[in-house]
Amino acid sequence: MAYEGILLGMGNPLLDISAVVDEDFLKKYGIKLNDAILAEDKHLPMYEEMTKKYEVEYIAGGATQNSIRVAQWMLQIPGATSYMGCIGKDKFGEEMKKNSKLAGVNVHYYEDGTAPTGTCAVCVVGGERSLVANLSAANCYKSEHLKKPENWALVEKAKYFYIAGFFLTVSPESIQLVAEHAAAKNKVFMMNLSAPFICEFFRDVQEKALPYMDYVFGNETEARTFSKVHGWETDNVEEIALKISQWPKASGTHKRITVITEGADPVVVAEDGKVKKFPVILLPKEKLVDTNGAGDAFVGGFLSQLVQEKPIEECVRAGCYAANVIIQRSGCTYPEKPSFN
């Protein structure tokens, strides 16, 4: 099977500014543990403060980009994955390009001359992470870039598409173009619920994309928020996963599968009116470095097997393996080679 360009991701490329902070820092900026939000004006000084006050690490990030990089690492086939998003013409943008090339991902960035490359503050307290994203250039992605022949060629070539829900705030038009292409050509289109705020405040664009989704990923908090927003009156993750999998579909080629992670609890997979649960690899607390990128890594591991047409249990097992590797390291980073067999 030819793997070149088989998996395409689109999203918000962000440079993670990661540091172990304290509770007071979170309080000062009104940040909840384990949340993911967009920066408001009140958050803007925090990036500077983090670099002055704490030991920070700069790591190429952005949810979709993380997942694509992890899938690429798991596959170990150069150029199997591609990625699009918008960066600025600055040193962070150059850093991002260098980083992605090293990872073996074929990136086609749209480079915006007016805004700096987006950043994401990763505030770690007790191994748990909170994310505050200042999208900047990432917010400037335009569907015109996607429609350029050299970029649309990546869409034509790919058989699998993955887009984090965060991209719904930037270019729903681009998402729709790819989703419709996937449905017309019987390809596999996948998205992530990504964050409670997406389910709450971007409900309309999320609902517009949902019929095209063949796989929906998310965690328990996002699933419960989705349920609440849709008046389902249940907090039961298994029920919610089933309901999402039964949402009407644009194309009947693939049945929808919902995959919900619950931290250290088993992964919930809903398909065909049934729910299966798969245990994760448990990690002793002292080995946990931070959970930043854990969900992204799970998706990356999962996709690495899915594109090889492996059964769902193998996809979940690879997802759990990748997440387990990532939480023992700072940010969404990994050793040179995977030891997944």
Side-chain angles (χ1 to χ4, degrees):
M1 192 167 167
Y3 286 109
E4 200 198 330
I6 195 166
L7 172 63
L8 171 63
M10 288 169 74
N12 303 334
L14 304 173
L15 192 74
D16 282 353
I17 301 173
S18 180
V20 174
V21 301
D22 46 50
E23 297 275 357
D24 292 345
F25 184 79
L26 296 186
K27 265 202 205 83
K28 177 177 177 180
Y29 289 104
I31 301 163
K32 293 200 293 254
L33 204 53
N34 267 325
D35 206 1
I37 58 171
L38 293 177
E40 297 165 35
D41 288 346
K42 67 171 183 182
H43 296 115
L44 297 179
M46 70 182 281
Y47 299 89
E48 190 64 26
E49 188 177 335
M50 276 175 83
T51 55
K52 286 205 168 82
K53 200 167 165 186
Y54 306 103
E55 250 186 78
V56 299
E57 282 185 275
Y58 295 95
I59 307 159
T64 308
Q65 186 163 248
N66 284 343
S67 296
I68 296 296
R69 274 176 40 233
V70 169
Q72 179 61 50
W73 169 68
M74 290 282 288
L75 281 163
Q76 294 286 312
I77 303 165
T81 62
S82 314
Y83 175 81
M84 286 189 252
C86 185
I87 58 174
K89 293 183 175 174
D90 50 22
K91 76 171 199 302
F92 282 170
E94 287 307 313
E95 190 65 29
M96 196 86 84
K97 280 195 281 198
K98 196 177 80 192
N99 216 297
S100 304
K101 289 219 167 65
L102 277 174
V105 178
N106 177 20
V107 291
H108 282 213
Y109 291 125
Y110 169 46
E111 293 182 45
D112 183 88
T114 61
T117 296
T119 48
C120 182
V122 180
C123 309
V124 180
V125 175
E128 303 290 345
R129 61 86 181 127
S130 294
L131 309 176
V132 184
N134 182 12
L135 297 182
S136 297
N139 205 26
C140 302
Y141 191 83
K142 306 277 184 292
S143 58
E144 286 74 55
H145 176 260
L146 174 65
K147 290 174 187 164
K148 282 186 176 163
E150 66 271 27
N151 300 324
W152 190 255
L154 297 182
V155 178
E156 293 282 357
K157 192 164 213 175
K159 293 191 176 75
Y160 295 83
F161 302 97
Y162 174 69
I163 303 175
F166 294 119
F167 201 52
L168 286 164
T169 74
V170 172
S171 188
E173 191 191 343
S174 299
I175 294 174
Q176 211 58 26
L177 286 168
V178 172
E180 286 169 10
H181 166 86
K185 303 280 192 208
N186 297 329
K187 295 177 174 184
V188 179
F189 180 78
M190 303 170 277
M191 287 193 74
N192 203 309
L193 299 176
S194 289
F197 85 86
I198 299 286
C199 303
E200 288 179 280
F201 307 116
F202 292 87
R203 174 182 173 166
D204 293 353
V205 281
Q206 190 180 52
E207 281 183 13
K208 199 175 167 204
L210 193 56
Y212 294 93
M213 297 180 205
D214 298 308
Y215 284 80
V216 175
F217 296 94
N219 67 26
E220 75 278 35
T221 317
E222 295 147 11
R224 288 183 179 129
T225 305
F226 190 92
S227 172
K228 194 174 85 197
V229 166
H230 291 90
W232 287 349
E233 293 182 357
T234 178
D235 260 352
N236 181 309
V237 173
E238 294 174 41
E239 272 177 57
I240 298 164
L242 266 179
K243 277 178 160 323
I244 293 173
S245 71
Q246 288 158 348
W247 193 284
K249 281 201 90 241
S251 145
T253 310
H254 310 283
K255 53 186 188 303
R256 183 179 302 110
I257 298 177
T258 312
V259 184
I260 306 293
T261 57
E262 303 193 70
D265 293 330
V267 178
V268 171
V269 176
E271 66 171 314
D272 259 353
K274 291 189 282 293
V275 171
K276 286 187 187 149
K277 292 169 95 169
F278 299 93
V280 304
I281 308 161
L282 293 173
L283 187 73
K285 188 80 176 144
E286 64 275 10
K287 282 192 163 176
L288 173 72
V289 174
D290 69 56
T291 56
N292 179 27
D296 303 335
F298 173 85
V299 173
F302 188 103
L303 297 178
S304 74
Q305 303 308 297
L306 187 70
V307 303
Q308 299 179 69
E309 299 179 2
K310 296 277 172 63
I312 196 116
E313 344 6 91
E314 280 303 285
C315 298
V316 173
R317 193 168 74 85
C320 292
Y321 164 78
N324 183 266
V325 169
I326 263 83
I327 61 177
Q328 297 183 64
R329 302 168 68 91
S330 180
C332 197
T333 60
Y334 38 76
E336 195 190 337
K337 291 265 194 298
S339 60
F340 178 76
N341 49 19

